[in-house]
Every structure is written in C-alpha cells, then in structure tokens.
Amino acid sequence: LAKTTQPISMDSYEGQEVNITCSHNNIATNDYITWYQQFPSQGPRFIIQGYKTKVTNEVASLFIPADRKSSTLSLPRVSLSDTAVYYCLGAAGNKLTFGGGTRVLVKP
Amino acid sequence: DTGVSQDPRHKITKRGQNVTFRCDPISEHNRLYWYRQTLGQGPEFLTYFQNEAQLEKSRLLSDRFSAERPKGSFSTLEIQRTEQGDSAMYLCASSLVGGRGLNEQFFGPGTRLTVL
C-alpha cells in the first residue's frame, strides 16, 4: 500500500491555477497514482490517474516525475465550485486507500 | 448522480440494534466496494466483491459486520449490535474491471449512520 502525504489545506482565488503536490515515497511498481475529489456530503469522484510523466483531461493535469516519488495535481483556473477535498492515492485496480486529503478553499 | 444508489440516505438507531444498508451499483459493473468515512477523515476500505464473490475484507470489518452480494448485482451491509463508534458515513462504490480507468470507482451518495 502506498502511503501518501499531502498538504492539509490550501487557499486559492477564483481564476487561479491550483497545484497540489503529493509525496508517495514507497509507491508500488504496479500502482497508478490517482486523484479523487470530494464535496461535502457526497462520495468521492475520480479526477485523473497516471503512471509516469504527464496526463491531462478535461478537468485537470497530473505531473509525475520519473522517480514516481511524488505527483502534482494541477487545476487550471479554479472556480468557487472547485472548493472540495482532494485525495491522492496509489492503487492497482482494487481497493482504494485514502489519506486525509487536501482541503482546497477557493475564494472569490 | 453517478448511477450508484444507496438506501437509506440517513439512519438513526439506538445502540445494540441491527441495521442494514443497501447499495445498487451501476448495472454493468462487476466490482462493488464498501467504505466507511468518519468526519474529517478519508474513506476507509471495508470490503469488496467481484460479481457475487467477496474477495477481500478489511480488519476494520469486525464479526458484527457482514456484507453480501447474492446475485452479483445489489449488495447489503449489515451491522449487528451497533455501537456508538459505528456512527459514520457508509459509502458504496462500483467499478468495471477492464474499464476505462484502472482505479476509477463510482461512489454512491452514502448512508449516514448515527448510533445513539
């Protein structure tokens, strides 16, 4: 199981780019780095996952260096509705092990 | 709405009572997971099924907890002799093995259990 470490909280403003870095020093070779978003009183929602280098989809980008000991989730031009908890985890297609996540607050 | 539904959404019970929760996954999904989440913490894995087979159970799942997925479709999670420490949000998720995202699970809205 990959134990991850990420900031407890971050503040940002509307329109800014938010970057959340996660450390996962002992990630397993088979694990993909995966990010989830969770709003209050809802279940988590898958955002993005990757193994190495850079992955981009319609909502975020994920940067993973060659050593895979960390990753950075990038949320471009955030809005108030991006206020949520963001979880980084490593997994290989079965159970998910969530840490405490990063609480992102987007201010007007 | 992810397509995963859970019932009930809220349950208040007295200590010592039994409770049962239901989860209906996305119909074509062959994997179904149960997680528990307490306030301020990330979800904790409890158990998962592939079709009707229960493949893994967490140590968190004491003998008071039992989960079933009898026909490989919906699942139930029962807690017997509830304790105040069981108060939490119980989340169900489903996924398709070999689907688009290796670790993409679709979560339901959860059942919030309060044990008095």
Side-chain angles (χ1 to χ4, degrees):
Chain A
L1 296 175
K3 180 172 173 58
T4 60
T5 303
Q6 53 185 122
I8 293 173
S9 63
M10 297 178 72
D11 288 358
S12 183
Y13 291 91
E14 280 189 294
Q16 288 189 336
E17 179 181 82
V18 171
N19 296 305
I20 310 171
T21 296
C22 176
S23 297
H24 28 79
N25 290 318
N26 61 344
I27 191 165
T29 303
N30 293 339
D31 281 359
Y32 278 66
I33 295 145
T34 308
W35 287 78
Y36 274 78
Q37 174 192 56
Q38 187 175 26
F39 299 114
S41 300
Q42 294 186 24
R45 183 176 74 106
F46 174 91
I47 301 176
I48 196 167
Q49 73 177 17
Y51 190 81
K52 250 184 207 178
T53 65
K54 178 182 175 181
V55 180
T56 298
N57 64 20
E58 60 275 11
V59 297
S61 294
L62 178 60
F63 302 90
I64 306 168
D67 66 7
R68 297 192 351 113
K69 292 184 183 299
S70 67
S71 61
T72 299
L73 176 73
S74 181
L75 305 172
R77 298 179 300 280
V78 293
S79 63
L80 296 177
S81 63
D82 292 315
T83 292
V85 178
Y86 293 82
Y87 296 98
C88 160
L89 52 96
N94 42 42
K95 66 186 177 188
L96 303 178
T97 302
F98 291 85
T102 298
R103 296 182 180 278
V104 173
L105 173 62
V106 180
K107 302 176 182 178
Chain B
D1 184 357
T2 62
V4 178
S5 60
Q6 293 187 244
D7 183 70
R9 296 289 309 276
H10 303 273
K11 179 70 177 179
I12 300 174
T13 191
K14 292 183 179 179
R15 191 177 54 185
Q17 298 294 305
N18 300 342
V19 294
T20 300
F21 309 141
R22 177 180 169 123
C23 172
D24 286 90
I26 294 171
S27 59
E28 63 268 26
H29 283 184
N30 47 13
R31 281 207 179 160
L32 186 149
Y33 303 79
W34 286 99
Y35 295 86
R36 180 174 70 185
Q37 185 172 26
T38 53
L39 201 60
Q41 305 297 315
E44 297 173 293
F45 168 77
L46 293 178
T47 187
Y48 86 94
F49 294 83
Q50 180 151 323
N51 301 313
E52 62 273 10
Q54 189 172 18
L55 295 188
E56 188 172 348
K57 291 169 59 173
S58 163
R59 288 175 298 139
L60 292 173
L61 215 65
S62 75
D63 55 7
R64 296 185 297 106
F65 287 70
S66 62
E68 294 182 344
R69 193 183 184 198
K71 297 182 180 178
S73 56
F74 73 92
S75 175
T76 58
L77 177 69
E78 181 183 16
I79 309 174
Q80 296 183 325
R81 305 181 303 283
T82 53
E83 301 173 357
Q84 288 183 326
D86 297 330
S87 295
M89 177 75 85
Y90 289 83
L91 293 161
C92 173
S94 70
S95 69
L96 179 65
V97 176
R100 185 186 68 169
L102 179 68
N103 296 322
E104 185 173 11
Q105 297 182 13
F106 295 81
F107 282 79
T111 295
R112 182 166 297 283
L113 173 66
T114 302
V115 181
L116 301 176

